[in-house]
Amino acid sequence: MAAFQSTPTTISFSNYLQSLSETPRRLRKRMLATWTPEQELNQVRLRSGADMMRKLDWYDLIALGIGGMLGVGVFVTTGPVALKISGPSVFISYAIAGISALFSSLCYTEFSVQIPVAGGAFSYLRVTFGEFIGYFAGANILMEYVLSNAAVARSFTEYLCHAAGENPSSWRVEVDGVAEGYNMLDFPAVALILLLTLCLCHSTKESSILNLVMTVFHVIFFGFIIIVGFYKGSAKNLVEPGGLAPFGVKGVLDGAAIVYFSYIGYDSVSTMAEEIQNPAKSLPVGILGSVLIVTGLYCLMALSLCLLVPFNMIDKDASFSVAFGKIGWKWASNVVGAGASLGIVASLLVAMLGQARYLCVIGRARLVPPWLAKVNPSTGTPFNATLFLGLCTASIALFTELSVILEIISISTLLVFYLVANALIYRRYVVMSHNPPSQTLLFLFLLSSSAIGFSMSWKLDQQWRALPVFGGFMVAITAFFQYMVPSICQPDEAWSVPFMPWPAVTSIFLNVFLMTTLKAISFQRFGVWAFLITLFYVLYGVHSTYRAEEMGVDAGEIPVGHHPSAQQTKLDIRAL
């Protein structure tokens, strides 16, 4: 067994106070510090101590993407959104959210092919805009994953109870004296999360096979619900009571912002980049293919639900099970409960797979304690990160109701996708094409400002006359930018987003537009979270990365005589 030489990791309180006094200088040094894709792929990756095992193919990625998304959206958000926000037009809300997700997925795909590391949006933004923006996005992604996984686990209990023909309250423990929304302890949800955590600690490939099997059954189950919905449903339910869009166009768009939560699973596929045999070919197929398939299924499922029962009779918790019960198919209600539970397990498995890889790469960057970056050499999985986030998710799932956390998940998701689209434009037109950054930064500022102006004009009913002004301005500045600022085309063998910058511009606009439809409480909760993660960066992250990158003092333990090639392989980014 190799001896270990401990680097100076013990910092006295006086040394820490001295470090805090240097915070402004260190922030100036580190906030905008970037890495090249080659450094991210090799130098930073070596800090995990061992390689993740490359065992996944394109069909694994499609199954992971489908498994990660299916079950989350339809079974968790469709009922509440149809009942209170969009009405029968909820399927249109899913279509709008799916289009936005498709444009965002195009941006993710180009980045994932060029920078095939497990960090996803964190890595893409860190190599483009610097350390702080990458960290801020990464922290929001982690919050989004942990909260959404907790919400989905609690929904699992709802559907499992319906499958067993019991009341969900009977499986939960009510605690007196605790605020409403936090007073129902959900132990089945906790048990599910801990079981999946142990599974993911063991092996990625075996977890992928389990997901593939569950996803196949789940898609067949979706087909059953869609066929029954169209066969037994009535078109009259789409227009009675109140018409197709009883809450108006605004309700359709507000619903799209909420159901966007359903699409966060596809970015988990990009975090598998270090475990794919051929990232350049498999990632575009896996990411884009899964988004297109899931969008179609979501729209058909939402439509079938609204055909079965009027929107005002939809149950907000277990909407599909209750809908089958109301048409007299009690046995089908139990089957739906069982199938939905299976889908929720699959989506949880994929989301928990992705969240651990995000945290692992953030640990490599030394923005969180480095032990979270370690990869177990025998299993090839980020064991510490998986276990830590599993415990965090289980703790929140134990007591927090779904309604408390849905909207803050959406705002974090939309913000990260917005940043990735901006980063793609900047990288394509500045980093790769070697144009002056001022032109692109001005364009991005004007684009975001006009998108906000358009969105706020839409939200304030009396300002509708400003819509064509802001809309026309966005189109004009995008066309002018495309004409005036040259872009170097990608090599023939590298996948890239076509018709740039239009897809990325559309993604920016849609993400801003959907964010403005969220309620003020979402922004207030997000503001608290943003303050906390910024405070953590100022008090810990910037000092940890300064020690590691500027002073050459790493916070981990390094084996004496350790040579990276003994456990890890140096990768050529062009070969991937």
Side-chain angles (χ1 to χ4, degrees), residues 52-57 60-61 64-65 112 116-120 124 145 200 204-205 207-208 265-279 282-283 287 349-358 382:
M52 297 184 195
M53 297 181 181
R54 293 187 178 273
K55 293 184 175 181
L56 304 180
D57 213 326
D60 292 303
L61 299 186
L64 287 168
S112 66
V117 294
Y124 310 153
Y145 269 113
L200 292 170
T204 299
K205 182 61 178 178
S207 299
S208 172
Y266 80 79
D267 62 320
S268 296
V269 177
S270 69
T271 68
M272 301 291 108
E274 292 182 26
E275 298 161 87
I276 303 168
Q277 294 177 3
N278 190 344
S282 298
L283 279 166
I287 295 175
L349 182 73
V350 178
M352 293 175 67
L353 200 68
Q355 70 180 13
R357 278 136 190 86
Y358 270 118

Side-chain angles (χ1 to χ4, degrees), residues 412-493:
S412 297
T413 306
L414 291 165
L415 176 65
V416 172
F417 291 171
Y418 162 82
L419 290 173
V420 170
N422 277 273
L424 181 63
I425 293 175
Y426 187 87
R427 177 172 172 77
R428 180 77 77 88
Y429 286 91
V430 177
V431 177
M432 303 187 69
S433 300
H434 305 291
N435 294 311
S438 56
Q439 300 170 329
T440 303
L441 290 174
L442 177 61
F443 167 66
L444 293 175
F445 172 76
L446 292 174
L447 176 65
S448 294
S449 299
S450 53
I452 292 171
F454 183 98
S455 304
M456 294 307 297
S457 298
W458 175 274
K459 190 169 186 176
L460 303 173
D461 295 339
Q462 66 272 26
Q463 301 295 327
W464 281 49
R465 284 177 294 182
L467 294 178
V469 176
F470 286 115
F473 183 70
M474 279 188 286
V475 173
I477 61 172
T478 302
F480 182 76
F481 177 78
Q482 184 183 30
Y483 178 76
M484 294 297 297
V485 182
S487 172
I488 296 177
C489 294
Q490 302 293 310
D492 292 338
E493 67 273 8

Side-chain angles (χ1 to χ4, degrees), residues 85-375:
I85 300 173
S86 299
S89 60
V90 63
F91 72 95
I92 302 176
S93 297
Y94 272 110
I96 294 170
I99 291 169
S100 182
L102 181 62
F103 282 114
S104 295
S105 68
L106 287 170
C107 302
Y108 261 84
T109 302
E110 179 168 324
F111 268 119
S112 66
V113 169
Q114 294 180 8
I115 312 172
V117 294
F122 165 74
S123 296
Y124 310 153
L125 292 168
R126 196 165 81 107
V127 301
T128 307
F129 288 143
E131 180 176 281
F132 178 73
I133 297 296
Y135 161 79
F136 190 81
N140 274 285
I141 292 167
L142 286 177
M143 179 199 67
E144 159 205 313
Y145 269 113
V146 170
L147 291 183
S148 64
N149 290 344
V152 170
R154 289 184 69 93
S155 185
F156 167 81
T157 304
E158 298 275 354
Y159 275 97
L160 194 61
C161 286
H162 279 281
E166 296 187 20
N167 190 319
S169 300
S170 65
W171 288 31
R172 290 174 176 155
V173 179
E174 185 173 1
V175 179
D176 295 329
V178 180
E180 186 177 354
Y182 304 91
N183 61 337
M184 298 295 290
L185 302 187
D186 195 329
F187 290 102
V190 172
L192 173 64
I193 290 170
L194 294 180
L195 183 63
L196 292 178
T197 298
L198 294 176
C199 178
L200 292 170
C201 286
H202 175 66
S203 170
T204 299
K205 182 61 178 178
E206 279 69 20
S207 299
S208 172
I209 293 172
L210 175 62
N211 170 76
L212 181 61
V213 173
M214 288 191 295
T215 299
V216 169
F217 280 107
H218 198 207
V219 170
I220 294 172
F221 164 69
F222 264 47
F224 165 75
I225 292 179
I226 292 168
I227 292 170
V228 172
F230 278 81
Y231 176 70
K232 292 289 292 183
S234 170
K236 185 172 67 173
N237 290 331
L238 292 178
V239 294
E240 293 181 4
L244 181 63
F247 302 100
V249 176
K250 190 174 183 298
V252 175
L253 295 171
D254 288 349
I258 300 297
V259 302
Y260 203 87
F261 157 69
S262 314
Y263 292 92
I264 65 174
Y266 80 79
D267 62 320
S268 296
V269 177
S270 69
T271 68
M272 301 291 108
E274 292 182 26
E275 298 161 87
I276 303 168
Q277 294 177 3
N278 190 344
K281 293 182 179 179
S282 298
L283 279 166
V285 176
I287 295 175
L288 298 176
S290 60
V291 171
L292 288 170
I293 293 170
V294 166
T295 300
L297 288 173
Y298 274 167
C299 293
L300 291 173
M301 284 283 287
L303 183 58
S304 69
L305 175 65
C306 294
L307 286 169
L308 283 172
V309 292
F311 82 93
N312 60 343
M313 295 177 63
I314 293 174
D315 184 80
K316 68 181 181 66
D317 295 319
S319 51
F320 286 89
S321 290
V322 174
F324 273 92
K326 286 182 177 179
I327 65 170
W329 286 29
K330 183 62 179 176
W331 64 270
S333 176
N334 294 339
V335 171
V336 168
S341 301
L342 183 68
I344 286 171
V345 172
S347 67
L348 261 180
L349 182 73
V350 178
M352 293 175 67
L353 200 68
Q355 70 180 13
R357 278 136 190 86
Y358 270 118
L359 185 58
C360 173
V361 176
I362 294 172
R364 289 175 185 172
R366 299 307 186 240
L367 288 161
V368 295
W371 63 271
L372 291 168
K374 297 302 178 184
V375 172

Side-chain angles (χ1 to χ4, degrees), residues 135-136 525-538:
Y135 161 79
F136 190 81
R525 290 170 178 167
F526 174 76
V528 173
W529 172 250
F531 171 77
L532 292 175
I533 60 178
T534 302
L535 184 64
F536 181 84
Y537 178 77
V538 171

